[in-house]
Amino acid sequence: MTRKERTLKAIEVLKGIYPKAMCSLEYEDPFELLVATRLSAQCTDARVNLVTPELFSTYKTLDDYASAELEDIERIIKSCGFYHDKAKSIIGMAKMVRDDFGGVVPDNIEDLIKLPGVGRKTANLIVGDVYGKESIVVDTHMIRISNRIGLVNVKDPVKIEMALKKVVPVEEGADFCHRIVFFGREYCSARKPKCDICPMSDNCKKVGV
């Protein structure tokens, strides 16, 4: 089976398990997703979703964020960890989106990664979920699972992104990545994958890893 065939099979299996693919983070506009994704670094989506309601109700516009006191944002997001750096990033992102991009969150990876605290993982999420463009979000789940089931044979996130973009249909990219996260949480965890009941076992090159 070629990598392309294996990938298409994985997409088919995941669609069967998770018909509705969606981002676990709760948001109402592109900038809120940008903020929530920044907060999710080394923090669970569940924790972020507990924190963002107060943050989003306190700061409603880019100007609100840009003029915010660092300590005030830190207080709200403290439980997400690394709150000082994350708060600085949030204020910096707001200023840059407002001043350099006309108040509109960029729709391409090249501009998004210019924003403070934004890497390719976050940029791909915005590009795919907000703008419906080609994207592959490479997080810890994707790194682990794409290697385990034989879609790639490399651990570098950028190389994984580029390799998967060659075999994942453009229209499937964003949803595929969300489904991989669900699958990683339910079946293919880092320490104790449930290989004996895994619905992907027939399409996995490394069962039991």
Side-chain angles (χ1 to χ4, degrees), residues 35-44 47-48 51 73-90:
V35 170
T37 307
R38 179 68 184 99
L39 292 177
S40 71
Q42 295 181 283
C43 178
T44 66
R47 167 54 56 185
V48 173
V51 167
I73 292 184
E74 287 179 337
R75 177 190 59 78
I76 297 173
I77 69 172
K78 189 170 184 178
S79 64
C80 290
F82 301 95
Y83 59 91
H84 180 70
D85 288 341
K86 291 179 180 180
K88 285 181 62 178
S89 294
I90 290 169

CSV table of all heavy atoms in Angstrom, one decimal, residues 35-44 47-48 51 73-90:
chain,number,residue,atom,x,y,z
A,35,VAL,N,-6.2,33.7,19.8
A,35,VAL,CA,-5.8,33.8,21.2
A,35,VAL,C,-6.0,32.5,21.9
A,35,VAL,O,-5.1,32.1,22.6
A,35,VAL,CB,-6.8,34.9,21.9
A,35,VAL,CG1,-6.6,34.8,23.4
A,35,VAL,CG2,-6.5,36.3,21.4
A,36,ALA,N,-7.1,31.8,21.6
A,36,ALA,CA,-7.3,30.5,22.3
A,36,ALA,C,-6.2,29.5,21.9
A,36,ALA,O,-5.7,28.7,22.7
A,36,ALA,CB,-8.6,29.9,21.9
A,37,THR,N,-5.8,29.5,20.6
A,37,THR,CA,-4.7,28.6,20.2
A,37,THR,C,-3.4,28.9,20.9
A,37,THR,O,-2.6,28.1,21.3
A,37,THR,CB,-4.5,28.7,18.7
A,37,THR,OG1,-5.8,28.5,18.1
A,37,THR,CG2,-3.6,27.6,18.2
A,38,ARG,N,-3.1,30.2,21.0
A,38,ARG,CA,-1.9,30.6,21.8
A,38,ARG,C,-1.9,30.1,23.2
A,38,ARG,O,-0.9,29.6,23.7
A,38,ARG,CB,-1.7,32.2,21.7
A,38,ARG,CG,-0.5,32.7,22.5
A,38,ARG,CD,0.8,32.2,21.8
A,38,ARG,NE,2.0,32.6,22.5
A,38,ARG,CZ,2.7,31.8,23.3
A,38,ARG,NH1,2.3,30.6,23.5
A,38,ARG,NH2,3.8,32.3,23.9
A,39,LEU,N,-3.1,30.2,23.8
A,39,LEU,CA,-3.2,29.8,25.2
A,39,LEU,C,-3.1,28.2,25.3
A,39,LEU,O,-2.7,27.7,26.4
A,39,LEU,CB,-4.6,30.2,25.8
A,39,LEU,CG,-4.8,31.7,26.0
A,39,LEU,CD1,-6.2,31.9,26.5
A,39,LEU,CD2,-3.8,32.2,27.0
A,40,SER,N,-3.4,27.5,24.3
A,40,SER,CA,-3.4,26.1,24.3
A,40,SER,C,-2.0,25.5,24.3
A,40,SER,O,-1.9,24.2,24.5
A,40,SER,CB,-4.2,25.5,23.2
A,40,SER,OG,-3.6,25.7,21.9
A,41,ALA,N,-1.0,26.3,24.0
A,41,ALA,CA,0.4,25.7,24.0
A,41,ALA,C,0.7,25.2,25.4
A,41,ALA,O,0.6,25.9,26.4
A,41,ALA,CB,1.4,26.9,23.7
A,42,GLN,N,1.0,23.9,25.4
A,42,GLN,CA,1.4,23.2,26.7
A,42,GLN,C,0.2,23.3,27.7
A,42,GLN,O,0.5,23.4,28.9
A,42,GLN,CB,2.7,23.6,27.2
A,42,GLN,CG,3.9,23.3,26.3
A,42,GLN,CD,5.2,23.7,26.8
A,42,GLN,OE1,5.5,24.9,26.8
A,42,GLN,NE2,6.0,22.8,27.4
A,43,CYS,N,-1.0,23.3,27.2
A,43,CYS,CA,-2.2,23.4,28.1
A,43,CYS,C,-3.3,22.7,27.4
A,43,CYS,O,-3.3,22.6,26.1
A,43,CYS,CB,-2.5,24.8,28.3
A,43,CYS,SG,-4.0,25.1,29.3
A,44,THR,N,-4.2,22.1,28.1
A,44,THR,CA,-5.3,21.4,27.5
A,44,THR,C,-6.4,22.3,26.9
A,44,THR,O,-6.6,23.4,27.4
A,44,THR,CB,-6.0,20.4,28.5
A,44,THR,OG1,-6.7,21.2,29.5
A,44,THR,CG2,-5.0,19.5,29.1
A,47,ARG,N,-9.0,23.2,29.5
A,47,ARG,CA,-8.6,24.3,30.4
A,47,ARG,C,-8.7,25.7,29.8
A,47,ARG,O,-9.2,26.6,30.3
A,47,ARG,CB,-7.1,24.1,30.9
A,47,ARG,CG,-6.4,25.3,31.6
A,47,ARG,CD,-7.2,25.8,32.8
A,47,ARG,NE,-7.5,24.8,33.8
A,47,ARG,CZ,-8.3,25.0,34.8
A,47,ARG,NH1,-8.8,26.3,35.0
A,47,ARG,NH2,-8.5,24.1,35.7
A,48,VAL,N,-8.3,25.7,28.5
A,48,VAL,CA,-8.4,27.0,27.8
A,48,VAL,C,-9.9,27.4,27.7
A,48,VAL,O,-10.2,28.6,27.9
A,48,VAL,CB,-7.8,26.9,26.3
A,48,VAL,CG1,-8.1,28.1,25.5
A,48,VAL,CG2,-6.3,26.6,26.4
A,51,VAL,N,-11.0,29.2,30.6
A,51,VAL,CA,-10.4,30.6,30.8
A,51,VAL,C,-11.0,31.6,29.9
A,51,VAL,O,-11.1,32.8,30.2
A,51,VAL,CB,-8.9,30.4,30.7
A,51,VAL,CG1,-8.2,31.8,30.6
A,51,VAL,CG2,-8.3,29.7,31.9
A,73,ILE,N,-4.3,40.7,32.0
A,73,ILE,CA,-4.5,39.5,31.2
A,73,ILE,C,-3.8,38.3,31.8
A,73,ILE,O,-4.3,37.2,31.8
A,73,ILE,CB,-3.9,39.7,29.7
A,73,ILE,CG1,-4.7,40.7,29.0
A,73,ILE,CG2,-3.8,38.4,29.0
A,73,ILE,CD1,-4.3,40.9,27.6
A,74,GLU,N,-2.7,38.5,32.4
A,74,GLU,CA,-2.0,37.4,33.2
A,74,GLU,C,-2.8,36.8,34.2
A,74,GLU,O,-2.9,35.6,34.4
A,74,GLU,CB,-0.7,38.0,33.8
A,74,GLU,CG,0.4,38.3,32.8
A,74,GLU,CD,1.7,38.9,33.5
A,74,GLU,OE1,1.5,39.4,34.6
A,74,GLU,OE2,2.8,38.7,32.9
A,75,ARG,N,-3.6,37.7,34.9
A,75,ARG,CA,-4.4,37.2,36.0
A,75,ARG,C,-5.5,36.2,35.5
A,75,ARG,O,-5.8,35.2,36.0
A,75,ARG,CB,-5.1,38.4,36.7
A,75,ARG,CG,-6.1,37.9,37.8
A,75,ARG,CD,-6.9,39.1,38.3
A,75,ARG,NE,-7.7,39.7,37.3
A,75,ARG,CZ,-8.8,39.2,36.8
A,75,ARG,NH1,-9.3,38.1,37.3
A,75,ARG,NH2,-9.5,39.9,35.9
A,76,ILE,N,-6.1,36.6,34.3
A,76,ILE,CA,-7.2,35.8,33.8
A,76,ILE,C,-6.7,34.5,33.2
A,76,ILE,O,-7.3,33.4,33.4
A,76,ILE,CB,-7.9,36.6,32.7
A,76,ILE,CG1,-8.5,37.9,33.2
A,76,ILE,CG2,-8.9,35.7,32.0
A,76,ILE,CD1,-9.1,38.8,32.2
A,77,ILE,N,-5.5,34.5,32.6
A,77,ILE,CA,-5.0,33.3,31.9
A,77,ILE,C,-4.0,32.5,32.7
A,77,ILE,O,-3.4,31.5,32.2
A,77,ILE,CB,-4.4,33.7,30.5
A,77,ILE,CG1,-3.0,34.4,30.8
A,77,ILE,CG2,-5.4,34.5,29.7
A,77,ILE,CD1,-2.3,34.7,29.5
A,78,LYS,N,-3.8,32.8,34.0
A,78,LYS,CA,-2.7,32.3,34.8
A,78,LYS,C,-2.8,30.7,34.8
A,78,LYS,O,-1.7,30.1,34.7
A,78,LYS,CB,-2.7,32.8,36.2
A,78,LYS,CG,-1.5,32.4,37.0
A,78,LYS,CD,-1.5,33.2,38.3
A,78,LYS,CE,-0.2,32.8,39.1
A,78,LYS,NZ,-0.1,33.6,40.4
A,79,SER,N,-3.9,30.2,34.9
A,79,SER,CA,-4.1,28.7,35.0
A,79,SER,C,-3.7,28.0,33.7
A,79,SER,O,-3.5,26.7,33.7
A,79,SER,CB,-5.5,28.3,35.4
A,79,SER,OG,-6.4,28.7,34.4
A,80,CYS,N,-3.5,28.7,32.6
A,80,CYS,CA,-3.1,28.0,31.4
A,80,CYS,C,-1.5,27.8,31.3
A,80,CYS,O,-1.1,27.1,30.4
A,80,CYS,CB,-3.5,28.9,30.2
A,80,CYS,SG,-5.2,29.0,29.9
A,81,GLY,N,-0.8,28.3,32.3
A,81,GLY,CA,0.6,28.2,32.3
A,81,GLY,C,1.3,29.1,31.4
A,81,GLY,O,0.7,29.6,30.4
A,82,PHE,N,2.6,29.4,31.7
A,82,PHE,CA,3.4,30.3,30.8
A,82,PHE,C,2.6,31.6,30.6
A,82,PHE,O,2.7,32.2,29.5
A,82,PHE,CB,3.8,29.7,29.5
A,82,PHE,CG,4.6,28.4,29.7
A,82,PHE,CD1,4.0,27.2,29.7
A,82,PHE,CD2,6.0,28.4,29.9
A,82,PHE,CE1,4.7,26.0,29.9
A,82,PHE,CE2,6.7,27.3,30.1
A,82,PHE,CZ,6.1,26.0,30.1
A,83,TYR,N,1.9,32.1,31.6
A,83,TYR,CA,1.0,33.2,31.4
A,83,TYR,C,1.6,34.5,31.1
A,83,TYR,O,1.0,35.3,30.4
A,83,TYR,CB,0.1,33.3,32.6
A,83,TYR,CG,0.9,33.6,33.9
A,83,TYR,CD1,1.1,34.9,34.3
A,83,TYR,CD2,1.3,32.5,34.7
A,83,TYR,CE1,1.8,35.1,35.5
A,83,TYR,CE2,2.0,32.8,35.9
A,83,TYR,CZ,2.2,34.1,36.3
A,83,TYR,OH,2.9,34.3,37.5
A,84,HIS,N,2.9,34.7,31.5
A,84,HIS,CA,3.5,36.0,31.2
A,84,HIS,C,3.8,36.1,29.7
A,84,HIS,O,3.5,37.1,29.0
A,84,HIS,CB,4.8,36.1,32.0
A,84,HIS,CG,5.6,37.4,31.7
A,84,HIS,ND1,5.1,38.6,32.1
A,84,HIS,CD2,6.7,37.6,31.0
A,84,HIS,CE1,6.0,39.6,31.7
A,84,HIS,NE2,7.0,39.0,31.1
A,85,ASP,N,4.4,35.0,29.1
A,85,ASP,CA,4.8,35.1,27.7
A,85,ASP,C,3.5,35.1,26.9
A,85,ASP,O,3.4,35.7,25.8
A,85,ASP,CB,5.6,33.9,27.3
A,85,ASP,CG,7.0,34.0,27.9
A,85,ASP,OD1,7.5,35.1,28.2
A,85,ASP,OD2,7.7,32.9,27.9
A,86,LYS,N,2.5,34.3,27.3
A,86,LYS,CA,1.2,34.2,26.5
A,86,LYS,C,0.5,35.6,26.5
A,86,LYS,O,0.0,36.0,25.5
A,86,LYS,CB,0.3,33.1,27.1
A,86,LYS,CG,0.9,31.7,26.8
A,86,LYS,CD,0.0,30.7,27.4
A,86,LYS,CE,0.6,29.3,27.1
A,86,LYS,NZ,-0.3,28.2,27.6
A,87,ALA,N,0.5,36.3,27.7
A,87,ALA,CA,-0.1,37.6,27.8
A,87,ALA,C,0.6,38.6,26.9
A,87,ALA,O,-0.1,39.4,26.2
A,87,ALA,CB,-0.1,38.0,29.2
A,88,LYS,N,1.9,38.6,26.9
A,88,LYS,CA,2.7,39.5,26.0
A,88,LYS,C,2.3,39.2,24.6
A,88,LYS,O,2.2,40.1,23.8
A,88,LYS,CB,4.2,39.3,26.3
A,88,LYS,CG,4.7,39.9,27.5
A,88,LYS,CD,6.2,39.7,27.7
A,88,LYS,CE,7.0,40.3,26.6
A,88,LYS,NZ,8.4,40.2,26.8
A,89,SER,N,2.2,37.9,24.2
A,89,SER,CA,1.9,37.5,22.8
A,89,SER,C,0.5,38.1,22.4
A,89,SER,O,0.4,38.6,21.3
A,89,SER,CB,2.0,36.0,22.7
A,89,SER,OG,3.3,35.5,22.8
A,90,ILE,N,-0.4,37.9,23.3
A,90,ILE,CA,-1.8,38.3,23.0
A,90,ILE,C,-1.9,39.8,22.7
A,90,ILE,O,-2.5,40.3,21.7
A,90,ILE,CB,-2.7,37.9,24.1
A,90,ILE,CG1,-2.9,36.4,24.2
A,90,ILE,CG2,-4.1,38.6,24.0
A,90,ILE,CD1,-3.6,35.8,25.4
